[in-house]
Amino acid sequence: MPPAQARELHRLRFVTDPLYGEHLRGVAHPERPQRVEAVAAALLSRGLLERTIAARDATDEEIARVHTGAYVELVARETRRLKSPAYLSTGDAVVDASSDRVARRAAGGAVAAVEACVAGKEAVFALVRPPGHHAEPDRGMGFCLFNNVAIAARAYQAAGGGRVLVADFDYHHGNGTEAVAGNGLSYCSTHAYPAYPGTGARSYRRGDDLVANVPLPPGGTSTEAFVAAWETLLPIVAAAIRPSLLLVSAGFDYVAGDEVGDLGVGVHAAAPIAAAIRRVADEYCGGSVAYVLEGGYGIGALTESIAMIARAHDGRPQSSAAAQPDALPRSVRESIRTFSEIAKEAAK
Ligand SMILES: [Zn+2]
């Protein structure tokens, strides 16, 4: 196969960095180095981890667009001299002496992914850790220190970019990302509710931006309903917001059997959801979309899901799938109807 053709068939590029394996190395914790190291090795063996993009550290200025100076200082102070792992004082995030450095590079990896996806008008996957969507401006929690997607969104806007939509399909609600929504950043999420962290019950407008939350029963949902929720949710929110950049908080702890989440959803859900994401990225963002890893604690489920996302972003044209609203439970249809009305108002 000639090189040009091979390139076209692997459109999804990756950001990763050896430093991502250092946070919590040797610590018994589900958010462990293998989540990026074993997954990267498996993707490499399938020929998917080609043309990787170098990560860099997020700058103080980039982090300060999302987090308070006092919190940034707290993370440095509470981690750098640690002799053994400990909880960050602000929430349930276990840290060690490497965590501040690794978290800065995770945020910088998300920024690098956005820069690359915008420059190449393509899809990029930031295979980073620690995750970010629970991190609020002044507190880390839920395994998260700095909010990677929020920092990347604000960096894009500071560089002259337009509106950003963050789509979050992690099992958990991204309380940290919702906390900073507004000023050109909209947020939509499916998540188990009630469940950790307890937020994400309702949808609303914040200025010209939207927060669209679709709570799902924590006891589980069918794969068809989960896919239908995304195939319905994403086009409605995107039509109201008309984002110039799509960012995805890509958490795979919704997959059945996940040790932390588990919504009972089949691993194959990633394929149609990524196809829906690609359609929105192509229609509104010139193809630019950056996925940033959040949760997901089964190595096999992570690998398979990301491989499906890579295939959804390969060079082949896609037929547009019709959403199947019949698959949606009544409570989900009601959440979607509510934010559709809010979205209509926002689009006026
Ligand atoms: Zn999660």
Side-chain angles (χ1 to χ4, degrees):
M1 186 183 284
Q5 202 177 343
R7 257 203 306 281
E8 191 165 346
L9 286 173
H10 296 298
R11 283 183 59 195
L12 187 68
R13 299 180 69 194
F14 287 87
V15 174
T16 192
D17 191 286
L19 195 58
Y20 298 149
E22 295 309 311
H23 168 65
L24 306 184
R25 188 178 289 289
V27 180
H29 194 285
E31 207 289 274
R32 59 204 191 280
Q34 289 79 3
R35 295 184 62 243
V36 290
E37 292 179 338
V39 170
L43 295 171
L44 186 67
S45 75
R46 294 183 186 198
L48 291 172
L49 206 68
E50 292 161 0
R51 300 189 303 135
T52 54
I53 298 153
R56 61 169 173 83
D57 292 342
T59 65
D60 290 339
E61 188 186 7
E62 286 166 342
I63 295 172
R65 294 192 189 108
V66 171
H67 296 284
T68 65
Y71 174 67
V72 174
E73 155 62 21
L74 176 150
V75 174
R77 190 175 64 241
E78 292 190 7
T79 58
R80 285 186 177 168
R81 288 189 191 144
L82 281 176
K83 297 270 189 288
S84 57
Y87 279 95
L88 198 68
S89 64
T90 61
D92 64 335
V94 177
V95 288
D96 61 23
S98 77
S99 300
D100 184 33
R101 283 186 64 217
V102 184
R104 280 173 177 265
R105 192 154 305 170
V111 176
V114 163
E115 288 168 350
C117 83
V118 169
K121 297 196 177 304
E122 63 182 332
V124 174
F125 197 110
L127 194 62
V128 303
R129 62 181 287 276
H133 72 156
H134 294 305
E136 296 184 354
D138 60 356
R139 63 170 174 162
M141 56 184 278
F143 314 165
C144 302
L145 297 184
F146 298 133
N147 195 313
N148 304 322
V149 287
I151 290 168
R154 294 306 186 205
Y156 167 75
Q157 293 175 319
R163 302 182 86 176
V164 180
L165 173 60
V166 176
D168 185 339
F169 54 64
D170 189 277
Y171 173 92
H172 303 96
H173 180 247
N175 56 295
T177 312
E178 175 172 330
V180 301
N183 299 314
L185 196 167
S186 289
Y187 177 71
C188 66
S189 172
T190 56
H191 44 271
Y193 183 90
Y196 183 90
T199 48
R202 64 185 192 92
S203 300
Y204 55 91
R205 267 177 77 179
R206 188 177 286 169
D208 291 333
D209 302 297
L210 270 182
V211 171
N213 282 314
V214 180
L216 300 169
T221 185
S222 73
T223 305
E224 292 71 25
F226 190 68
V227 169
W230 277 101
E231 288 178 340
T232 312
L233 162 70
L234 205 52
I236 295 171
V237 178
I241 296 303
R242 304 193 70 81
S244 57
L245 173 67
L246 185 56
L247 265 162
V248 182
S249 267
F252 303 95
D253 40 8
Y254 63 79
V255 175
D258 186 274
E259 64 180 287
V260 176
D262 187 354
L263 262 180
V265 172
V267 73
H268 55 280
I273 292 173
I277 287 168
R278 181 179 165 189
R279 287 192 294 274
V280 164
D282 285 347
E283 184 170 355
Y284 296 97
C285 313
S288 301
V289 51
Y291 292 80
V292 181
L293 184 64
E294 300 284 0
Y297 303 95
I299 303 305
L302 280 170
T303 305
E304 291 309 317
S305 300
I306 296 169
M308 282 177 212
I309 291 170
R311 277 198 290 278
H313 287 280
D314 72 18
R316 287 171 294 207
Q318 305 223 323
S319 58
S320 64
Q324 299 187 347
D326 294 354
L328 294 171
R330 198 163 61 118
S331 64
V332 174
R333 281 206 303 270
E334 278 165 13
S335 323
I336 289 177
R337 188 161 47 81
T338 306
F339 79 69
S340 298
E341 283 160 16
I342 299 165
K344 257 184 247 157
E345 279 300 306
K348 273 181 190 164

